Amino acid sequence: MSLPPQKASELKQIIHNHLIKMNIHGKIRDVLAETVREDLDPGRSSLSEEDILRALQRRGIVDDVMKDLHFSKEVPDTELGLQNIPKPATHFIDTDPTKLKKSDGSKMADATTMLSICDPVHLVLIKRDTSSETTLVSSYFLDWRTVLSSPSGKTSIAVELHGVGSECKVTAGVLNMSLELYPPPSEILSPDIITTQRSLERQKTAEKERLFLVYAKQWWREFLEIRQENQSKLVKIFAQDENGVNRPVCSYVRVLRAGRLLESPRQAARFVSLLGLEKAPVVGGGGGGKQEQWCSLLAFLCRNKGDCEDHATLLCSLLLGFGLDAYVCVGTKPKGLAHTWVMTRGTDSTITFWESLTAHRYLHQAIDPDAPPLAPQPRPSYPYRTVGCVFNHKTFLANCQPSDAVELCAFDFHNQSRWKVMSEEAVGSVCSPGSATSLPPLPPLCGPSLEPSAASNRLELEMRYLVVEHRKDLGLATVWDDHLSYVLSSALAAYELERCTGTSCGNEEFQDAVRRAVPDGHTFKGFPIHFLHLNARRAFATCLRSPFCDEIVCCRGDRVRLAVRVRVFAYPESACAVWVMFACKYRSVL
């Protein structure tokens, strides 16, 4: 788990001041001098980082640092009489015992406490090819507690990794790992104790799963008995993860807060829509079916692409984090294709559908089937045909209305004649965070991995080069209009803003700037396009497939001037929105 940026800065400042206080730089210089005299082989000209670290550990420097480093509980400024003193941006806590009382929460947990922490370490192995395409190779849940039985707090293990999806029973390889608990535990546990603890947890987990399965079967029988039409409704209680393990669908949703990385629910929807769509492959491809695979959130984020279920569970988790009453909907689109999307309920009973693949939002207004024939009825704008069930991290409801058509459904979940709800206690026993059967907690989202301005400049230069080379092959010269290229920036910014907020703005200023940049008697043409990757050649090839873009790039005429502008918008988890606009102006000749 990573720390928030502010806490990370505070921690760095605490460690920095502690190292200065104990004159760590002087001690390192002494150890280096001694190591060079005693340990450096005649045939080597320098020491490696491992050599230096080993020397520091052998002489006890590292142990001295950790032994004297203490973290204390932060005392409110009002208790220290500092109400009127502004806090610095990065501060550390004075450990003067007359001012602060040491917090028990800062102590290293003992071995018994750590033994009770059953959350595994989730390891995700991905493969990235030369075109930056990622493939999920393996997903493994590591029980790290074997290190508690090691006298030195260190151990080495080898784990067998299996494939994912249809290859979940096939070995993908063996991973050799070294685990180290730092600082070393003061108490060493017997391997028998760890084995016994695991056995008890497995028994407890198996019993919870058994009881939930018994409850789910009874609940399902009751649902089918309500009306015969319920047998054909798409009600999904369990789904297979990337390892082929059946899990309750509620366990795929968590309350997920994005910190400062995402500022609004609509920006969260835009982020999720930028993650690629990829359906799990079906071995053999027969029957036109679709492979069952719902990815855990970490596996989905690591490979940056997944199916509609992965997008919907991530978006629902983020909307819950923003305080909305959000649910995942399982149903169908036109032609009966299974689909998953997100729904939110407002305090005024307003129902909004969120399409996680596009970030589009739709307002739902139910049609009254009993209304007079000539009475006005709302016209649905959403692309959904039926809905069988809805769920989030603690609630599961099945649609038991006479029709599962979305346009006829009323989403008043308190009406038991329309929605059959599962017991929240039963769902929580196998899906709540911290339960032995649930997925491990998701680490915080990672910030953007690229600098937007630099990426935009680089991609724009590559696009210019490709245009010049393409026109050269056609026997055409290329003259760029740098001012016109710059004018296109406002349009690209407006396009991305519209995708985030659903509101169009800035179009008047852009049109006015273009009119000023294009002389009288000249014609202007522009072509914007959107990508989810930074591969210039791939993007340019896609652009040329459009006759409108090809007409601009291959423009012939009098006083032809070309322009291209690229804007890269960075989002968390290496996701990005890339906007490219090609334009040209030329003198009109009749």
Side-chain angles (χ1 to χ4, degrees):
M1 300 294 287
S2 59
L3 290 173
Q6 181 182 358
K7 292 297 183 182
S9 299
E10 294 176 3
L11 180 60
K12 290 178 183 178
Q13 187 65 44
I14 293 172
I15 296 174
H16 175 72
N17 284 273
H18 175 67
L19 295 178
I20 293 177
K21 182 180 179 181
M22 64 179 299
N23 189 27
I24 190 65
H25 297 95
K27 294 182 180 181
I28 292 176
R29 282 194 295 269
D30 294 341
V31 170
L32 284 177
E34 183 180 347
T35 304
V36 170
R37 289 196 305 268
E38 298 179 359
D39 298 344
L40 187 60
D41 297 334
R44 296 172 60 188
S45 59
S46 63
L47 291 171
S48 67
E49 183 179 335
E50 289 77 10
D51 294 333
I52 298 172
L53 184 58
R54 196 178 303 112
L56 292 173
Q57 289 177 331
R58 188 167 62 245
R59 286 161 177 78
I61 302 298
V62 177
D63 290 336
D64 289 344
V65 171
M66 297 306 300
K67 179 175 63 177
D68 297 333
L69 186 61
H70 300 286
F71 303 100
S72 299
K73 185 177 180 181
E74 201 171 327
V75 173
D77 291 346
T78 53
E79 294 183 15
L80 299 177
L82 303 177
Q83 295 94 329
N84 299 323
I85 301 177
K87 275 189 177 181
T90 301
H91 63 281
F92 64 97
I93 307 302
D94 191 351
T95 56
D96 188 342
T98 62
K99 292 184 178 180
L100 297 178
K101 182 178 179 182
K102 189 172 181 180
S103 169
D104 292 336
S106 65
K107 291 182 179 179
M108 180 69 177
D110 57 30
T112 304
T113 302
M114 287 189 287
L115 181 63
S116 65
I117 302 175
C118 61
D119 286 332
V121 176
H122 192 182
L123 305 176
V124 175
L125 178 63
I126 62 171
K127 178 177 66 176
R128 193 183 304 273
D129 60 19
T130 54
S131 62
S132 298
E133 286 294 318
T134 58
T135 304
L136 180 61
V137 178
S138 183
S139 174
Y140 184 82
F141 295 94
L142 171 69
D143 192 331
W144 55 273
R145 290 173 292 181
T146 54
V147 74
L148 297 175
S149 63
S150 175
S152 60
K154 301 178 183 179
T155 187
S156 296
I157 59 174
V159 296
E160 182 181 8
L161 301 180
H162 288 86
V164 296
S166 59
E167 300 179 358
C168 62
K169 304 299 182 184
V170 180
T171 300
V174 176
L175 179 64
N176 295 311
M177 290 185 290
S178 295
L179 304 180
E180 180 176 1
L181 193 61
Y182 207 87
S186 57
E187 177 187 2
I188 306 302
L189 299 180
S190 166
D192 294 337
I193 295 178
I194 298 176
T195 302
T196 302
Q197 175 70 14
R198 288 175 174 172
S199 177
L200 291 173
E201 289 173 355
R202 282 194 296 269
Q203 293 175 11
K204 184 178 180 182
T205 299
E207 179 62 14
K208 283 186 176 182
E209 292 176 343
R210 186 190 68 81
L211 292 175
F212 181 76
L213 184 59
V214 169
Y215 169 80
K217 287 182 177 180
Q218 177 62 31
W219 180 92
W220 177 248
R221 284 193 294 268
E222 294 172 355
F223 174 72
L224 294 180
E225 291 172 358
I226 295 176
R227 53 173 44 94
Q228 188 175 0
E229 293 82 0
N230 288 354
Q231 296 182 4
S232 61
K233 293 178 180 177
L234 193 54
V235 178
K236 194 166 191 61
I237 303 174
F238 297 92
Q240 284 189 359
D241 66 7
E242 64 268 23
N243 293 323
V245 177
N246 275 312
R247 298 182 183 276
V249 292
C250 294
S251 65
Y252 292 90
V253 178
R254 295 287 178 86
V255 177
L256 180 58
R257 297 180 178 88
R260 301 286 183 182
L261 299 179
L262 297 171
E263 300 294 344
S264 69
R266 296 194 185 190
Q267 191 180 30
R270 175 60 173 158
F271 157 62
V272 175
S273 71
L274 294 175
L275 301 175
L277 173 64
E278 181 181 81
K279 297 183 181 297
V282 178
V283 177
K290 159 180 159 178
Q291 175 70 32
E292 164 85 348
Q293 181 177 312
W294 289 35
C295 277
S296 59
L297 288 181
L298 182 60
F300 174 42
L301 292 173
C302 285
R303 67 172 181 162
N304 282 105
K305 56 186 176 182
D307 211 336
C308 61
E309 295 88 359
D310 306 322
H311 288 77
T313 53
L314 175 58
L315 178 57
C316 183
S317 299
L318 289 168
L319 296 184
L320 288 169
F322 277 108
L324 300 183
D325 188 21
Y327 302 82
V328 176
C329 300
V330 179
T332 62
K333 296 176 73 174
K335 298 183 180 180
L337 297 175
H339 190 63
T340 308
W341 68 98
V342 178
M343 179 198 78
T344 55
R345 296 197 312 157
T347 54
D348 58 353
S349 301
T350 300
I351 303 299
T352 305
F353 293 145
W354 303 64
E355 178 48 62
S356 57
L357 299 180
T358 62
H360 291 165
R361 301 166 68 252
Y362 308 95
L363 189 64
H364 173 265
Q365 290 178 309
I367 294 176
D368 184 4
D370 300 323
L374 297 181
Q377 296 276 20
R379 299 185 63 180
S381 60
Y382 42 79
Y384 314 121
R385 190 172 71 86
T386 66
V387 56
C389 63
V390 301
F391 66 89
N392 59 20
H393 61 305
K394 60 181 181 180
T395 304
F396 185 94
L397 303 108
N399 184 1
C400 53
Q401 299 173 61
S403 172
D404 60 356
V406 177
E407 60 187 15
L408 299 177
C409 282
F411 291 90
D412 50 345
F413 294 155
H414 297 293
N415 189 334
Q416 297 183 7
S417 66
R418 292 176 171 174
W419 294 91
K420 182 169 177 59
V421 61
M422 270 195 175
S423 163
E424 284 196 13
E425 183 180 356
V427 172
S429 67
V430 291
C431 297
S432 62
S435 65
T437 59
S438 65
L439 291 165
L442 181 69
L445 294 179
C446 295
S449 59
L450 55 84
E451 205 285 309
S453 297
S456 300
N457 290 335
R458 183 177 62 254
L459 189 58
E460 185 171 310
L461 291 174
E462 292 174 351
M463 283 294 185
R464 285 197 173 202
Y465 171 79
L466 292 172
V467 170
V468 170
E469 291 298 309
H470 185 73
R471 290 178 60 85
K472 187 185 298 183
D473 293 340
L474 299 175
L476 300 173
T478 304
V479 181
W480 295 103
D481 187 329
D482 291 336
H483 174 66
L484 182 58
S485 295
Y486 182 75
V487 166
L488 302 178
S489 296
S490 61
L492 301 185
Y495 296 152
E496 182 61 22
L497 182 63
E498 184 177 2
R499 292 291 182 96
C500 281
T501 64
T503 304
S504 177
C505 63
N507 190 47
E508 299 82 1
E509 293 87 348
F510 171 66
Q511 291 183 357
D512 185 68
V514 169
R515 291 190 187 100
R516 294 176 179 276
V518 178
D520 292 338
H522 285 64
T523 299
F524 170 83
K525 293 181 179 179
F527 175 78
I529 191 169
H530 175 251
F531 298 99
L532 304 183
H533 60 82
L534 297 170
N535 189 313
R537 290 191 178 275
R538 208 168 98 200
F540 187 63
T542 302
C543 292
L544 291 181
R545 296 194 193 105
S546 167
F548 302 103
C549 183
D550 185 71
E551 183 180 348
I552 293 173
V553 172
C554 305
C555 181
R556 298 171 183 265
D558 185 22
R559 298 183 185 178
V560 175
R561 298 293 183 270
L562 296 178
V564 63
R565 194 64 169 173
V566 175
R567 281 293 304 272
V568 176
F569 298 87
Y571 285 84
E573 297 292 341
S574 302
C576 65
V578 180
W579 285 96
V580 181
M581 190 169 187
F582 294 95
C584 69
K585 65 179 183 180
Y586 58 91
R587 184 178 179 182
S588 302
V589 178
L590 298 177

